[in-house]
Amino acid sequence: MSYTPLSTGIHVDSSRRLWAMVTAQSTYAFGVTNDGLLMHLHWGPRLVSLADLPSAILKPERSSQEPALSQATEEYPPFGGLRYGETAAKVTFADGTRELDLRFATAEVTERDGLPALIVTLRDAAYPLTVQLCYKVDVENDLIIRSATFASEANETLRIERAFSAVWHLPRQYAPRTLTTLAGQWLGETRLQQRPLVAGTALIESRRGITGATANPWFAIESTFETTTETYFGALAWSGNWVIRATTDIMGTTAVAGGIHEHDFTWLLQSGESFTTPEFVAGFAQDGLNGARRRLHHYTREQVLPKPQVLQPRPVLYNSWEATFFDVTEEGQRKLAERAARLGVELFVVDDGWFPARVNDHAGLGDWRPDPVKFPHGLKPLSEYVKSLGMQFGLWVEPEMVNADSDLYRAHPDWIYHFPRRPRSEARNQLVLNMARTDVQAYLIEVLDKLVAENGIDFLKWDMNRPISEPGWSDEIERGGEAREIWVRHALGVYAVMDALRASHPDLVIESCSSGGSRADLGILRRTDQIWTSDNTHPEARLFIQEGFSLVFPARVMVAWVTDQGRGLLPVAYRCHVSMLGTLGIGGNLVHWSDAEMDEVANWIAIYKEIRPLVQDGDQYWLLSPHATHGEVAAVEYVTAEEAVVFAFRRADLFGELLPRLRLLKLQPEANYRIEVLGQNDSASYAASGAALMSYGLSLPLKRGPFASCIVRLRKQ
Ligand code: GLA
């Protein structure tokens, strides 16, 4: 008997009130019970027929302590009734009722953002409140993109106290599961953490008002079925407070819930208004973490990153921070720019220290105009000089911040988050502007717009160096509003300013920075083009940080500089190769670099430009994980239909032993590849078939000694 599998797209079985979203390799399905509850039915390998799915039912209670609803796998379980598992929503109505009772109302198959979409409307059984669940389907990348919209027609205001983006149910199974998350801190972001998923809750979160470095809003859950590693993974597109909880019961049922953190969260919903959650993207892959990585990268490039920038190669940049810190002078920057141009740099970025009073981190934030002492004729002469050297011009800003010692703060002390009778906590001597205020947003749009327009700025590095504290907004309370909304409104305010700036400067590129990688998420990437991965630029640390970062973000987003970290201790090639894994940048004090160093780095930059399309937009496979090898070896392959490039790193060579051959992935077995070691003049090219390279493997041309690295290019003949 032969099957014709369900085609990809969205399928409906109206008689059984059942829906299935079929992607290239997965199926996600739910149905409605007789009582109108929306019940999850399947998420996993692609199904062949809708008939293979059971109808949705509410299973009876197991005991009085295990009521039916507490065991149900509802798509969007609200707080209400006998529910004690993970809940997605909680609302308090004007009459004090603190429960929701959401029942199925309608479902519509449509299109959103160019993707097939299913919109399911749930309606409260007693109150005029609807929750619309949106499921977009990325067929090629096996992803479901979920969000929820609350809308009220009640005459009174209601309080939303939890509004998650999604609850994802993983099927029960026999094999144990491992949860992978990314944890970190300043100078050490996105490091892989793995733990067995046992009964209980694993929680990752940020309560800082920004995405944070403590954890990234991403998860992967893996298990092995026969010979296949099955991976459920997801990423939240949100730059404010967030939480993701993976809760497993004793029977092995796992639900992953996440969205805007309910910590200190309330949103007032007025009649006729709506509130939409951020998107939570999740997928199912049968080729492990590399498969999850590839799917998120494709999705990010195709659906998230701003156009037209995503269609252009990301330029090699120079950033002055580690070279000069606050000691910025026009003369000094000109010298650096000349040296950078000699290297082949395409974008020159002046970091912190260019605005008034900014000689250290105690003053100046908020006054976004050139320091008349350091730049007597403004920034324009420097910008023009940089352009005359053939480079674009970029500038560092930190728009959400003020120092108490700034003209902006002196003029508007009420513009920062504060409680009137409490001290205003400073971190790095900074206070946070209330980005929820429309006057603050308008002011920033005006100031940044002027800065960009007047100085020929092609690129902004948008920093954010401290978490939010004293989240008060007394004016809003006086107006009858709710100050707890600031946690959400801050992120929305940042988005709004960036969106406005991009609308008036469509070619502007923005880099998201937050003390390194503290604001790295798919929400900020809708309006920024790249992310400053970490303030830690030491190549050894970077391999770990970059492996973790790469699980979520494509290489074009991952900015990596060659600095003076490791200079003199690690080979120039090794330092360059680590940074060439992403969007290459240079951040050392070039004035001190010898001619030999300059030439060698210039050579690597030229090589980078040759392989850049492959690195920035090819499929990325970490063949040897530094996490798994404790940093001893690492290897990354970037591959397209035409070619591949492999980077390999070996930290120590204690015993003078050759490494095993490296088996490559995703080459075309029947094709012959010309193999060339880049940057090594003494090595001849040779040929091998894709099949041989994937089964027999590639001998790694690593030189003897510590910190050896190589780049091997393979081109289809
Ligand atoms: C943050 C950034 C750095 C640099 C400094 C400037 O720490 O991560 O790259 O821009 O701010 O103050």
Side-chain angles (χ1 to χ4, degrees):
M1 172 171 138
S2 73
Y3 290 110
T4 313
L6 279 175
S7 58
T8 57
I10 300 171
H11 295 264
V12 188
D13 179 339
S14 318
S15 60
R16 291 201 294 149
R17 294 204 295 182
L18 187 152
W19 294 264
M21 291 168 261
V22 182
T23 71
Q25 294 179 33
S26 77
T27 299
Y28 186 107
F30 51 72
V32 177
T33 67
N34 286 339
D35 296 332
L37 298 172
L38 192 66
M39 209 65 81
H40 180 78
L41 293 174
H42 173 76
W43 188 27
R46 182 165 164 181
L47 295 185
V48 165
S49 157
L50 282 190
D52 295 343
L53 289 168
S55 298
I57 51 154
L58 181 64
K59 295 199 184 101
E61 71 176 24
R62 182 171 180 271
S63 74
S64 57
Q65 298 291 3
E66 288 124 330
L69 275 178
S70 74
Q71 300 179 81
T73 55
E74 284 177 277
E75 279 291 308
Y76 202 71
F79 172 79
L82 287 158
R83 290 180 179 88
Y84 303 99
E86 197 52 84
T87 55
K90 182 171 184 300
V91 159
T92 298
F93 293 94
D95 64 5
T97 299
R98 306 197 311 283
E99 276 202 344
L100 277 167
D101 183 0
L102 297 176
R103 305 283 165 153
F104 176 80
T106 60
E108 184 199 356
V109 177
T110 174
E111 210 188 83
R112 287 273 168 96
D113 305 323
L115 297 174
L118 179 56
I119 311 289
V120 179
T121 303
L122 308 175
R123 196 184 299 283
D124 190 90
Y127 294 85
L129 171 77
T130 58
V131 179
Q132 266 195 356
L133 306 181
C134 175
Y135 298 80
K136 295 194 291 188
V137 187
D138 183 339
V139 169
E140 289 309 310
N141 298 315
D142 302 304
L143 298 172
I144 307 290
I145 301 116
R146 290 185 60 180
S147 59
T149 299
F150 291 65
S152 164
E153 274 146 35
N155 287 326
E156 323 90 341
T157 305
L158 58 88
R159 306 172 76 82
I160 305 176
E161 282 147 8
R162 179 184 300 186
F164 280 176
S165 302
V167 174
W168 307 96
H169 295 283
L170 277 58
R172 289 179 62 202
Q173 63 176 33
Y174 292 100
R177 286 184 164 129
T178 305
L179 171 68
T180 303
T181 56
L182 299 169
Q185 58 179 343
W186 180 60
L187 296 181
E189 296 86 340
T190 52
R191 282 138 69 191
L192 250 78
Q193 308 292 309
Q194 292 184 314
R195 55 186 132 166
L197 214 51
V198 295
T201 297
L203 176 147
I204 53 173
E205 63 172 357
S206 167
R207 285 179 274 117
R208 294 160 181 263
I210 44 171
T211 323
T214 315
N216 189 272
W218 170 92
F219 74 90
I221 295 174
E222 289 181 281
S223 59
T224 300
F225 175 71
E226 294 290 317
T227 53
T228 309
T229 301
E230 297 193 333
T231 307
Y232 294 89
F233 58 97
L236 202 56
W238 183 236
S239 317
N241 285 350
W242 61 271
V243 64
I244 296 178
R245 282 196 288 262
T247 300
T248 302
D249 70 14
I250 196 65
M251 298 191 301
T253 312
T254 294
V256 181
I260 291 169
H261 209 309
E262 74 269 71
H263 167 77
D264 200 36
F265 165 76
T266 297
W267 191 272
L268 299 189
L269 193 65
Q270 320 284 354
S271 179
E273 285 186 352
S274 66
F275 177 79
T276 299
T277 71
E279 290 184 331
F280 198 161
V281 185
F284 172 74
Q286 284 173 304
D287 46 358
L289 286 180
N290 272 319
R293 170 191 280 119
R294 181 174 55 78
R295 286 170 174 83
L296 275 180
H297 288 187
H298 275 260
Y299 169 74
T300 304
R301 285 195 302 262
E302 291 153 17
Q303 298 286 331
V304 179
L305 285 167
K307 291 187 179 70
Q309 287 82 344
V310 68
L311 307 170
Q312 303 153 355
R314 300 270 23 92
V316 176
L317 67 81
Y318 178 81
N319 180 293
S320 65
W321 175 242
E322 290 192 29
T324 62
F325 293 104
F326 296 103
D327 192 13
V328 174
T329 62
E330 184 166 342
E331 198 40 42
Q333 295 294 315
R334 279 174 181 258
K335 286 216 176 81
L336 287 170
E338 286 159 14
R339 303 280 281 177
R342 191 177 134 190
L343 289 177
V345 163
E346 298 158 313
L347 161 67
F348 183 83
V349 185
V350 178
D351 209 278
D352 198 351
W354 58 269
F355 43 98
R358 194 65 172 171
V359 288
N360 54 37
D361 62 14
H362 287 261
L365 293 176
D367 300 337
W368 303 113
R369 53 180 188 273
D371 180 359
V373 181
K374 293 178 181 172
F375 296 95
H377 307 289
L379 284 170
K380 199 69 194 289
L382 176 62
S383 158
E384 278 171 356
Y385 185 61
V386 164
K387 288 182 191 211
S388 76
L389 294 169
M391 298 182 290
Q392 296 184 312
F393 183 66
L395 199 63
W396 178 95
V397 286
E398 198 179 355
E400 295 146 82
M401 296 293 158
V402 286
N403 288 113
D405 185 0
S406 68
D407 293 343
L408 185 66
Y409 185 67
R410 280 184 282 273
H412 296 287
D414 52 327
W415 274 12
I416 66 151
Y417 297 116
H418 65 282
F419 293 118
R421 298 174 63 186
R422 298 272 184 224
R424 301 168 176 212
S425 301
E426 296 188 4
R428 206 196 190 200
N429 315 301
Q430 298 175 203
L431 299 160
V432 189
L433 284 177
N434 183 341
M435 295 295 293
R437 295 178 65 122
T438 47
D439 50 359
V440 169
Q441 292 174 22
Y443 169 80
L444 286 176
I445 292 168
E446 193 191 319
V447 166
L448 294 172
D449 187 71
K450 188 162 172 272
L451 188 69
V452 169
E454 286 181 356
N455 297 293
I457 289 170
D458 303 297
F459 172 100
L460 286 177
K461 176 178 171 187
W462 181 306
D463 210 337
M464 202 298 184
N465 277 313
R466 60 152 291 180
I468 293 171
S469 61
E470 293 89 33
W473 186 6
S474 31
D475 298 357
E476 184 61 9
I477 293 174
E478 274 167 30
R479 279 195 294 272
E482 171 55 71
R484 287 183 185 87
E485 291 182 0
I486 72 101
W487 297 112
V488 172
R489 290 197 183 273
H490 185 95
L492 295 179
V494 172
Y495 291 171
V497 175
M498 287 182 172
D499 290 346
L501 208 55
R502 293 193 81 112
S504 40
H505 303 279
D507 294 325
L508 183 72
V509 166
I510 306 181
E511 176 173 291
S512 171
C513 173
S514 177
S515 313
S518 267
R519 188 153 59 194
D521 61 78
L522 297 182
I524 205 72
L525 279 185
R526 279 207 183 275
R527 55 274 298 173
T528 59
D529 308 277
Q530 55 192 50
I531 295 172
W532 177 227
T533 314
S534 175
D535 277 349
N536 190 334
T537 56
H538 195 288
E540 280 195 85
R542 268 297 177 126
L543 274 181
F544 290 94
I545 294 169
Q546 293 182 179
E547 180 189 23
F549 191 93
S550 80
L551 280 165
V552 197
F553 308 107
R556 63 160 45 242
V557 163
M558 184 178 81
V559 182
W561 310 337
V562 180
T563 65
D564 293 338
Q565 295 290 320
R567 180 165 172 257
L569 299 169
L570 271 53
V572 173
Y574 194 94
R575 288 160 50 214
C576 289
H577 292 175
V578 171
S579 293
M580 288 165 77
L581 293 174
T583 278
L584 176 61
I586 307 293
N589 193 344
L590 301 183
V591 176
H592 297 146
W593 285 17
S594 69
D595 282 349
E597 274 175 295
M598 289 287 291
D599 290 348
E600 195 178 345
V601 174
N603 191 39
W604 287 121
I605 290 179
I607 289 172
Y608 177 75
K609 288 178 184 169
E610 269 178 48
I611 56 173
R612 165 162 57 188
L614 189 53
V615 169
Q616 292 190 352
D617 296 323
D619 287 348
Q620 191 181 136
Y621 294 90
W622 284 63
L623 303 174
L624 291 171
S625 150
H627 171 78
T629 66
H630 305 288
E632 287 307 313
V633 286
V636 192
E637 175 186 344
Y638 300 83
V639 55
T640 66
E642 292 308 311
E643 53 179 336
V645 65
V646 176
F647 289 72
F649 302 86
R650 187 191 53 210
R651 185 165 177 261
D653 185 23
L654 299 184
F655 309 108
E657 291 162 351
L658 282 180
L659 287 177
R661 282 183 305 276
L662 186 67
R663 285 175 60 190
L664 305 187
L665 287 172
K666 306 292 170 185
L667 300 178
Q668 306 201 340
E670 71 291 352
N672 234 10
Y673 289 83
R674 174 124 312 264
I675 301 166
E676 184 193 353
V677 185
L678 298 183
Q680 285 183 18
N681 299 332
D682 51 347
S683 56
S685 75
Y686 63 102
S689 71
L693 289 160
M694 291 192 290
S695 51
Y696 180 72
L698 172 79
S699 296
L700 290 173
L702 290 167
K703 296 233 158 95
R704 297 291 304 272
F707 294 106
S709 60
C710 63
I711 308 177
V712 183
R713 186 177 194 179
L714 305 98
R715 272 185 283 190
K716 235 163 83 177
Q717 286 183 318

